[in-house]
Amino acid sequence: MTKLPTWADVVLVPVISLLLAAFFAAIVLLAIGQSPTQALTVMVNGALGSAYGWGYTLYYATSFVFTGLAVIIAFHGGLFNIGGEGQAMLGGLGVALVCLYLPMPHWSLTLLLAMGAAMIFGGAWAAVPAYLQAKRGSHIVITTIMFNYIAAALMIYILVNILRPDGSMDPASARFSDAVGLPKFHDIPILQDLFLKYDAEGALKLGKDGLPSYQRVPANVTFFIALAACVGVWRLLWHTKLGYEIRAFGKQEKAANYAGISSFKIIMVAMILSGAFSGLMAINNVMGQAERLLQNSAEGAGFIGIAVALMGRNHPLGVLLAAILFGFLYQGGASLGLETTIPIELRTVLQGLVILFTGALDIMVRMMLGWFFSPRHAQAKGAA
Amino acid sequence: MPNAIPAIELKGISKSFGPVQANRDINISVPKGTIHGIIGENGAGKSTLMSILYGFYKADAGEILINGTLTAIPDSQSAIRAGIGMVFQHFKLVQNFTVLENVILGVEDGPLLKSSLSKARRVLADLSREYELDVNPDALIEDLSVGHQQRVEILKALYRQADILILDEPTGVLTPDEADHLFRILKGLKDQGKTIILITHKLREIMEATDNVSVMRRGTMVGNVKTAETSPEQLAELMVGRKVLLEVEKGTATPGEIVLKVENLRVRDEAGVERLKGISFELRKGEILGIAGVAGNGQSELLAALGGIHAASGRVTFKGGDLPLTGAGANGRARRDAGIGHIPEDRQSLGLIMDFTAWENMAFGYHTLPKYQKNLFEMDNNAIRQDTEAKMAMYDVRPPIPTLAAKNFSGGNQQKIVVAREIESDPEVLLVGQPTRGVDIGAIEFIHKEIIALRDAGKAILLVSVELDEILSLSDRIAVMFDGQIMGFKDPENTNERELGLLMAGVSGGAAK
């Protein structure tokens, strides 16, 4: 197979894969008697057409950045961490415990504590499969999947038996106090101006107190932490001894031993870091949005992270872009459910197609492009 | 010439992979009933040419004539039908099948094996008698020696009625005795009218076994000569394109004090089999101790144990202190910190991370050195890159591009990266495994010079190689290993290949311990 030029590999392959996914999504829509163009318009308008839409898209993207980064850290170490979902649930538990029992006078201090707790809980949940892999050779893919189920069961037990407030029927914790709520985009000075409400005449809508009122969106300061995390993971993997060792181990385990890199240490550290980043996602959804711990708080973001990492070519920048794409699919899919008769489940189909074409069938696109870039093709073109 | 129509004629064969032209307008004619050698450095295009002949690749241009008829060979099935058989360097045998089962694999007569097996048994018996190719047809492949496995490969080709036999580097894994036997078999096949193509990088084998020889350099055929009318020096010059010193220039050693003392070293593999059965030797400053032996007799385990990669028992004293042989203290980095460098046998799976760039590889194993750190957290990637540029210039690594991935360098240049890294770290003891395996002649000369220069600087070198020529020309003392033990120590001035060959085969000489 011809090696593609870098620009084609990085830009052309994902774009063509996406177009293919869109093409097949259109066929599915036609098959259920819906208009693909209308669906696309609704999705784009709903997710990207307004500051309000972006406020949701970026909220979802923030979660996916964390779980995507988690997958790539482990993957560079040659470990396939499927357990992001469970690690994110445990991270949520850590966040909830801090917010419920250790609230600080200022939200930023609580946030620091909550981040620490999320990373420790998520990391610890990943540490057990890591240990089993490093010491017992139990395959990490199997054990991390099993730990997702264990995490789900554990969360139900804790929510129902321990954290559920008296008298509540909901398997959920009590609501966090207002003091620990994270600033949303509509609370942040300057940024909030994008979310001002206007009335039909185009004049500012004022609240009862005479101040302008804002559209409420779930995107919050965690988004900026996610951006910082991308930079951090990039520095970690390509600029530190630890990153060097993780990548060397991931490429050639045998050679890593020759260089004196301990496989036990790398498996443990890479997985704990991976679990910590999965756990960190909880500050976005649990602390930033729900403001209490719900059952199934991760909502599948742990699994989306795998697709995001695949599509992002295991690079933090790619993860960021892919996370925004999946945020668009999530929010756009929700708009479909609200504004059209297309069932909301269609977004699962869309995600499936995107994952199929960008992840699994990506080699097919590469082969087709390879033919275009092959010297023989260039010669044939020159001769014609 | 025995026959006017050549068995194989290649006309104007060209093949390129992207921008790399692997074969350029190759013309070659192999007369029937001869042994034809093809010699060339790594990457000269020998394997590509043979892969085209065997149907693995399709040539971009050119014609293949078999016995005078134009033949298209789109796949290996067609090659077999055209009477071509190939014996690969790495055998393609099913380990837990018997010899018979391997021979009929893919050419069974019908769904039931019984008739195929009994037919094969008859044919095999005839072939064995005819060509001195005796193998027990009911033996499992995994129980056979490497030499016997190779015979099975030859039998497989003959059973498929091959008239033309291609052997790719067939002696790499054989003892000198087994190699001699192979050449006797090949002569027998030739006498029966078979045509043989022998691909090798060993000049001695070309001189010994072939009738004609073709020399390849950088994708082109630079010479077709009768073996009787040429010399090793002339062939080497053709291969490299300049005069080459085949003999290593080396002054006498001035061994100093003992720096490494190995006593009763034992290693068990994962399956619990003892691979190293009590090895003892001493290594002095300023000497090269060569370890000769057929691959797989414990040399790899010896290097792994001393290099801290594999746990071992026994006692190893280095500069007066005990080296830990098990546990956390026994790892590659601890050995390097102590002053033991290691050029591993297999650079592609151990010595280098093939996907890493040259500069990342130049720090491999040394990535924790203070000079490569920018601060407490970050590595100083720029410093490593500069360091790499300097070392690439010193060791003439081509192309001298630190950001190129290791896998994109030729074998010789990959090895130069490893050699530069390990020698420039200035070790007290350097463990060297197969320093010139898959390395072209030009680079071999260079690497040998560097090893001798290190010895002359008063360092101790343990050299493991399956190339007897290399052991004989570099070593100041030779230890021969067989079945995890040292069969004896020899002085390279007072021994020869025959004597070493016997020890390598496990036949104790008078001097064995």
Side-chain angles (χ1 to χ4, degrees):
Chain A
M1 210 168 77
T2 317
K3 197 176 176 299
L4 299 177
T6 316
W7 70 270
D9 191 48
V10 176
V11 180
L12 216 49
V13 172
V15 168
I16 292 178
S17 305
L18 277 182
L19 288 177
L20 279 171
F23 174 74
F24 282 95
I27 292 181
V28 172
L29 283 165
L30 286 173
I32 58 171
Q34 298 281 355
S35 153
T37 47
Q38 188 212 356
L40 185 66
T41 319
V42 168
M43 282 183 74
V44 171
N45 280 340
L48 312 173
S50 63
Y52 179 74
W54 277 100
Y56 276 86
T57 301
L58 291 184
Y59 162 72
Y60 292 123
T62 304
S63 292
F64 302 155
V65 166
F66 286 118
T67 52
L69 290 177
V71 173
I72 72 169
I73 292 171
F75 203 78
H76 277 286
L79 299 159
F80 203 175
N81 178 12
I82 317 261
E85 191 76 5
Q87 291 144 18
M89 286 184 206
L90 265 290
L93 179 62
V95 169
L97 292 179
V98 167
C99 291
L100 290 170
Y101 301 116
L102 279 174
M104 291 284 133
H106 191 265
W107 63 265
S108 59
L109 296 174
T110 321
L111 176 63
L112 284 178
L113 277 183
M115 283 172 69
M119 293 181 87
I120 289 168
F121 275 63
W125 201 247
V128 185
Y131 184 84
L132 291 173
Q133 167 85 64
K135 283 286 176 204
R136 314 283 313 170
S138 316
H139 203 286
I140 201 101
V141 168
I142 312 287
T143 45
T144 48
I145 290 175
M146 295 192 329
F147 265 66
N148 285 336
Y149 290 103
I150 301 174
L154 179 70
M155 294 305 285
I156 291 176
Y157 175 82
I158 290 176
L159 285 172
V160 171
N161 296 292
I162 302 171
L163 290 182
R164 181 169 55 92
D166 290 336
S168 165
M169 299 297 283
D170 238 4
S173 76
R175 194 163 281 284
F176 307 154
S177 75
D178 284 344
V180 307
L182 291 180
K184 312 271 199 314
F185 278 12
H186 57 258
D187 298 325
I188 300 169
I190 303 172
L191 189 62
Q192 66 187 176
D193 294 351
L194 292 169
F195 300 95
L196 282 169
K197 278 186 181 168
Y198 297 93
D199 58 21
E201 280 88 50
L204 272 183
K205 244 188 192 171
L206 298 180
K208 279 180 210 141
D209 49 5
L211 292 170
S213 60
Y214 299 96
Q215 291 172 309
R216 302 184 65 79
V217 291
N220 57 71
V221 287
T222 313
F223 175 69
F224 303 104
I225 298 172
L227 293 182
C230 286
V231 179
V233 168
W234 173 68
R235 298 296 290 182
L236 169 79
L237 284 174
W238 282 280
H239 288 268
T240 67
K241 275 177 287 193
L242 179 63
Y244 181 94
E245 295 191 349
I246 289 177
R247 287 185 300 120
F249 178 81
K251 294 280 186 203
Q252 281 167 230
E253 182 174 343
K254 233 176 109 186
N257 287 335
Y258 157 80
I261 297 170
S262 147
S263 52
F264 178 75
K265 177 186 140 191
I266 296 300
I267 293 175
M268 291 304 292
V269 172
M271 278 304 288
I272 289 173
L273 271 175
S274 176
F277 274 91
S278 286
L280 208 46
M281 157 198 158
I283 56 169
N284 186 46
N285 60 345
V286 176
M287 191 175 177
Q289 197 256 338
E291 298 187 348
R292 59 184 179 145
L293 185 61
L294 299 165
Q295 191 199 333
N296 193 21
S297 62
E299 287 179 326
F303 295 116
I304 302 282
I306 298 168
V308 164
L310 263 177
M311 198 179 167
R313 295 273 179 282
N314 286 311
H315 193 282
L317 182 63
V319 162
L320 178 63
L321 295 175
I324 292 173
L325 172 78
F326 275 87
F328 158 75
L329 288 176
Y330 247 60
Q331 171 58 12
S335 310
L336 279 184
L338 282 174
E339 295 175 34
T340 68
T341 52
I342 301 171
I344 193 167
E345 285 75 20
L346 193 86
R347 77 176 178 192
T348 316
V349 175
L350 290 179
Q351 282 164 19
L353 285 168
V354 169
I355 293 170
L356 185 67
F357 280 96
T358 57
L361 295 182
D362 148 294
I363 192 107
M364 182 184 78
V365 175
R366 243 160 239 282
M367 275 166 73
M368 294 190 310
L369 278 176
W371 187 78
F372 277 104
F373 283 100
S374 76
R376 202 178 303 174
H377 177 71
Q379 275 166 20
K381 241 177 24 191
Chain B
M1 232 174 248
N3 197 322
I5 303 169
I8 300 175
E9 202 171 0
L10 302 177
K11 285 186 182 170
I13 298 279
S14 290
K15 172 77 187 173
S16 45
F17 299 99
V20 181
Q21 186 132 30
N23 286 162
R24 194 192 313 254
D25 192 26
I26 302 280
N27 293 294
I28 184 173
S29 169
V30 181
K32 249 179 218 167
T34 61
I35 300 182
H36 193 104
I38 296 186
I39 194 165
E41 297 192 282
N42 268 46
K46 299 170 299 202
S47 301
T48 307
L49 189 65
M50 288 307 116
S51 298
I52 289 171
L53 189 53
Y54 201 62
F56 282 165
Y57 297 136
K58 195 180 172 309
D60 297 339
E63 295 177 341
I64 301 171
L65 281 79
I66 308 283
N67 296 320
T69 28
L70 189 62
T71 314
I73 304 180
D75 50 39
S76 53
Q77 298 294 322
S78 324
I80 292 167
R81 270 200 302 278
I84 301 173
M86 182 117 174
V87 175
F88 293 92
Q89 193 175 1
H90 302 285
F91 306 145
K92 317 255 181 224
L93 296 170
V94 183
Q95 290 291 314
N96 54 351
F97 273 21
T98 66
V99 171
L100 265 188
E101 286 169 331
N102 268 286
V103 165
I104 63 161
L105 189 64
V107 288
E108 305 89 348
D109 292 324
L112 295 177
L113 289 181
K114 200 170 174 198
S115 66
S116 307
L117 284 171
S118 54
K119 184 184 128 196
R121 189 182 295 278
R122 279 196 311 279
V123 177
L124 238 51
D126 291 346
L127 288 174
S128 305
R129 208 165 335 104
E130 228 172 315
Y131 302 114
E132 234 191 301
L133 273 166
D134 14 279
V135 195
N136 172 10
D138 298 313
L140 289 177
I141 296 297
E142 59 197 5
D143 297 335
L144 294 181
S145 72
V146 189
H148 278 82
Q149 292 190 18
Q150 192 172 50
R151 286 182 209 172
V152 178
E153 283 283 11
I154 296 174
L155 283 170
K156 252 170 74 182
L158 294 176
Y159 186 74
R160 285 157 182 72
Q161 286 161 351
D163 283 321
I164 300 161
L165 208 56
I166 306 170
L167 293 106
D168 189 4
E169 299 279 0
T171 59
V173 287
L174 304 182
T175 63
D177 257 0
E178 285 175 317
D180 285 347
H181 190 116
L182 173 70
F183 290 137
R184 276 206 303 282
I185 293 171
L186 295 184
K187 290 224 169 78
L189 288 166
K190 178 181 103 169
D191 292 343
Q192 300 286 327
K194 307 274 183 196
T195 309
I196 291 153
I197 297 182
L198 180 67
I199 304 171
T200 179
H201 66 276
K202 293 182 189 168
L203 292 163
R204 193 168 50 81
E205 289 170 4
I206 291 284
M207 300 308 294
E208 206 169 291
T210 66
D211 299 307
N212 300 294
V213 53
S214 298
V215 186
M216 291 188 74
R217 182 169 80 228
R218 288 192 200 142
T220 56
M221 199 60 91
V222 290
N224 279 302
V225 288
K226 281 199 188 316
T227 311
E229 295 166 7
T230 188
S231 65
E233 287 76 17
Q234 193 194 354
L235 288 176
E237 199 178 330
L238 275 172
M239 275 163 74
V240 185
R242 62 178 167 84
K243 282 221 181 295
V244 182
L245 279 176
L246 289 179
E247 287 293 311
V248 183
E249 279 184 342
K250 168 176 95 143
T252 44
T254 46
E257 64 197 79
I258 293 170
V259 62
L260 188 79
K261 190 170 180 189
V262 175
E263 290 161 277
N264 196 24
L265 190 68
R266 289 169 189 275
V267 169
R268 282 181 191 281
D269 65 12
E270 277 74 14
V273 179
E274 196 164 55
R275 294 288 175 182
L276 222 50
K277 301 171 178 171
I279 296 266
S280 303
F281 62 86
E282 289 164 355
L283 188 59
R284 291 171 180 276
K285 283 188 173 175
E287 75 161 352
I288 300 176
L289 173 61
I291 307 276
V294 179
N297 278 289
Q299 303 98 310
S300 308
E301 287 76 9
L302 175 62
L303 285 178
L306 294 177
I309 302 171
H310 203 297
S313 64
R315 185 164 182 220
V316 177
T317 334
F318 173 62
K319 290 200 292 189
D322 274 352
L323 277 186
L325 295 174
T326 51
N331 69 64
R333 190 180 303 157
R335 289 290 199 272
R336 282 187 191 85
D337 291 345
I340 299 179
H342 185 184
I343 298 172
E345 289 184 300
D346 188 344
R347 62 177 165 272
Q348 302 207 339
S349 75
L350 277 189
L352 296 166
I353 304 282
M354 299 305 280
D355 285 335
F356 272 17
T357 60
W359 69 265
E360 284 175 307
N361 273 302
M362 202 57 97
F364 192 51
Y366 300 92
H367 55 280
T368 52
L369 287 185
K371 66 169 176 172
Y372 289 152
Q373 312 306 318
K374 196 193 277 176
N375 52 43
L376 197 55
F377 303 104
E378 288 181 299
M379 288 170 80
D380 193 343
N381 292 350
N382 277 327
I384 304 174
R385 268 193 284 263
Q386 279 164 13
D387 202 27
T388 305
E389 256 168 43
K391 283 177 186 160
M392 284 179 130
M394 268 162 66
Y395 284 79
D396 191 29
V397 179
R398 288 181 217 180
I401 305 173
T403 50
L404 200 65
K407 63 183 173 194
N408 295 329
F409 287 90
S410 72
N413 284 300
Q414 288 173 359
Q415 187 71 333
K416 281 185 185 174
I417 294 176
V418 178
V419 170
R421 182 181 73 204
E422 298 301 324
I423 289 188
E424 289 309 307
S425 73
D426 197 27
E428 285 298 311
V429 169
L430 184 61
L431 310 171
V432 185
Q434 321 296 351
T436 55
R437 177 185 277 171
V439 168
D440 46 67
I441 290 195
I444 289 177
E445 194 188 358
F446 187 90
I447 290 168
H448 283 174
K449 272 188 193 158
E450 290 298 330
I451 291 174
I452 288 167
L454 192 70
R455 178 202 75 170
D456 292 342
K459 312 295 181 177
I461 292 155
L462 184 72
L463 169 73
V464 168
S465 175
V466 292
E467 305 277 353
L468 260 189
D469 294 347
E470 187 167 50
I471 293 283
L472 278 166
S473 57
L474 284 183
S475 309
D476 302 313
R477 273 193 308 146
I478 298 174
V480 183
M481 278 186 74
F482 172 75
D483 193 26
Q485 287 170 306
I486 291 183
M487 298 299 290
F489 290 87
K490 294 285 169 193
D491 177 357
E493 303 296 326
N494 301 317
T495 186
N496 53 41
E497 297 209 352
R498 181 124 315 273
E499 189 184 20
L500 294 177
L502 283 174
L503 289 175
M504 283 162 70
V507 182
S508 270
K513 308 177 55 159

